[in-house]
């Protein structure tokens, strides 16, 4: 164990060296990384202090959707909040840790006859990452039911921000730079459990019909105003275009799927071909929705 990480075990932090990036992302690519997995707020604060003292660059990761890691590995540390996983219900208010997966949150809300999170039943993300990206589906977004966010700010202090303070928009929220989301409070509404669960079954069925089942990182490109990126991509005729193990899905053309052993570079080779073709045909330069994590530059 490196010197900088000594003592973290006493704070309940699991330190793992050389984890395969393929195990940490839904697309399944990326080289070896060092991973910190704290179990509570104290562990998160201890991790941040240790990384700051050692001047080690880090990134927080959630469920690994909408995220690509470098094939050569990440020269820094990834901080996973997957062990922050408690949920608490009090009437129509739900307090949820950042590491809770959205399908579980939606399921538990339905069990308590609480409506508003049905759209989240098929999103492969954790609460923290979903808030940061203001994840949504079927016309609904996290910010529609979010009340407040509890985070550690850049000064290492625990802070509470109301939803109006993070200026959430379409697939974006403005979490202060250097902050780490710990948990969130949602305000749901009372409903009929059978109705809620029926709606979720319908949404899952629609996803299966309209989205690929292979490993992917979710939507590749953002909407252009109110126009889905897929409308521009469809015109390119590139469905099925493949580089190595990465293929532009034949089911939904705003997804790139891993057909087996795909690398991050292959993913972006496909994506850039699509961007260039769309720009030539339509004069529109598509913006990425998926995030590419790059290693920090050496001094």
């Amino acid at each position: 164990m490196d010197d900088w990480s000594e003592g973290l075990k006493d704070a309940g932090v699991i330190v793992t060296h050389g984890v395969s990036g393929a195990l940490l992302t839904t697309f399944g690519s990326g080289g070896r990384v060092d991973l910190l997995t704290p179990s509570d707020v104290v562990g998160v604060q201890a991790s941040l202090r240790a990384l700051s003292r050692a001047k080690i660059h880090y990134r927080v990761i959630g469920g690994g959707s909408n995220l690509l890691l470098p094939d050569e590995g990440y020269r820094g540390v990834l901080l996973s909040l997957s062990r922050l996983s408690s949920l608490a219900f009090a009437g129509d208010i739900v307090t949820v840790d950042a590491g809770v997966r959205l399908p579980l949150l939606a399921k538990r809300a339905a069990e308590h006859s609480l409506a508003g999170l049905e759209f989240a039943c098929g999103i492969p993300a954790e609460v923290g990452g979903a808030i940061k990206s203001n994840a949504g589906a079927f016309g609904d977004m996290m910010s529609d039911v979010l009340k407040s966010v509890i985070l550690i700010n850049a000064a290492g202090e625990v802070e509470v921000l109301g939803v109006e303070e993070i200026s959430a928009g379409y697939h974006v929220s403005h979490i202060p730079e250097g902050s780490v989301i710990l948990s969130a409070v949602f305000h749901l509404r009372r409903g009929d459990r059978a109705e809620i669960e029926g709606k979720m079954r319908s949404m899952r069925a629609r996803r299966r019909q309209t989205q690929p089942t292979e490993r992917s990182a979710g939507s590749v490109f953002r909407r252009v105003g109110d126009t889905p990126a897929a409308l521009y991509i469809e015109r390119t005729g590139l469905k099925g275009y493949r580089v190595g193990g990465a293929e532009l899905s034949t089911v939904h053309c705003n997804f790139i799927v891993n057909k087996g052993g795909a690398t991050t570079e292959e993913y972006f080779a496909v994506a850039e071909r699509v961007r260039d073709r769309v720009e030539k045909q339509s004069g529109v330069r598509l913006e990425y929705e998926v995030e590419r994590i790059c290693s920090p530059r050496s001094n």
Side-chain angles (χ1 to χ4, degrees):
M1 184 180 293
D2 295 340
D3 290 342
W4 66 266
S5 64
E6 287 184 3
L8 287 182
K9 185 177 179 181
D10 294 336
V13 180
I14 297 174
V15 182
T16 314
H17 297 288
V19 180
S20 169
L23 301 176
L24 301 175
T25 63
T26 57
F27 183 71
S29 66
R32 299 287 173 177
V33 301
D34 291 339
L35 185 71
L36 296 184
T37 315
S39 62
D40 55 22
V41 176
V42 172
V44 175
Q45 289 175 314
S47 298
L48 295 176
R49 284 195 299 269
L51 292 166
S52 177
R53 282 196 302 266
K55 294 185 168 63
I56 294 175
H57 194 277
Y58 72 93
R59 293 296 301 267
V60 179
I61 62 166
S65 58
N66 291 99
L67 185 72
L68 277 297
L69 295 170
D71 293 320
E72 69 275 13
Y74 179 68
R75 294 190 303 276
V77 170
L78 299 182
L79 179 64
S80 168
L81 304 183
S82 61
R83 293 173 68 210
L84 275 66
S85 56
S86 70
L87 298 91
F89 291 83
D92 54 5
I93 300 296
V94 189
T95 303
V96 191
D97 277 355
V100 173
R101 297 190 71 83
L102 288 191
L104 174 62
L105 173 59
K107 179 176 182 291
R108 291 292 306 279
E111 290 169 353
H112 283 76
S113 299
L114 293 173
L117 278 167
E118 294 92 329
F119 73 92
C121 67
I123 299 176
E126 293 177 359
V127 166
I131 290 172
K132 186 176 179 183
S133 65
N134 197 19
F138 305 104
D140 295 318
M141 297 181 289
M142 298 296 286
S143 58
D144 295 332
V145 288
L146 182 66
K147 184 178 181 183
S148 58
V149 178
I150 299 90
L151 50 78
I152 294 178
N153 61 27
E157 302 163 336
V158 176
E159 183 179 1
V160 180
L161 296 178
V163 64
E164 68 283 351
E165 296 178 87
I166 62 173
S167 304
Y170 180 76
H171 284 197
V172 65
S173 63
H174 297 91
I175 301 297
E177 188 72 27
S179 297
V180 177
I181 296 173
L182 297 171
S183 58
V185 179
F186 295 95
H187 188 183
L188 305 181
R189 61 183 185 277
R190 285 284 160 194
D192 179 78
R193 176 174 176 175
E195 228 174 82
I196 295 167
E197 291 178 337
K199 188 176 180 181
M200 288 164 59
R201 283 194 297 273
S202 175
M203 287 178 170
R204 284 192 292 264
R206 187 174 166 192
R207 274 184 175 273
R208 286 193 296 270
Q209 291 167 359
T210 60
Q211 294 184 8
T213 56
E214 300 104 320
R215 297 186 73 166
S216 79
S219 297
V220 183
F221 299 107
R222 295 182 179 278
R223 285 175 174 263
V224 181
D226 293 328
T227 305
L231 290 183
Y232 293 100
I233 300 169
E234 189 77 41
R235 299 171 191 158
T236 67
L238 286 173
K239 269 188 175 182
Y241 175 70
R242 184 167 174 172
V243 176
E247 179 184 276
L248 189 65
S249 174
T250 57
V251 176
H252 190 309
C253 61
N254 197 22
F255 284 72
I256 293 173
V257 296
N258 189 338
K259 302 298 285 187
T263 67
T264 295
E265 289 305 316
E266 289 168 351
Y267 178 103
F268 282 103
V270 173
E272 284 299 303
R273 175 72 181 275
V274 170
R275 277 182 109 192
D276 290 344
R277 182 73 65 86
V278 167
E279 188 170 26
K280 285 177 183 176
Q281 288 185 343
S282 306
V284 171
R285 186 68 172 169
L286 296 176
E287 294 182 8
Y288 281 109
E289 185 165 312
V290 69
E291 180 184 6
R292 182 177 195 172
I293 289 184
C294 297
S295 289
R297 294 179 180 179
S298 302
N299 293 329

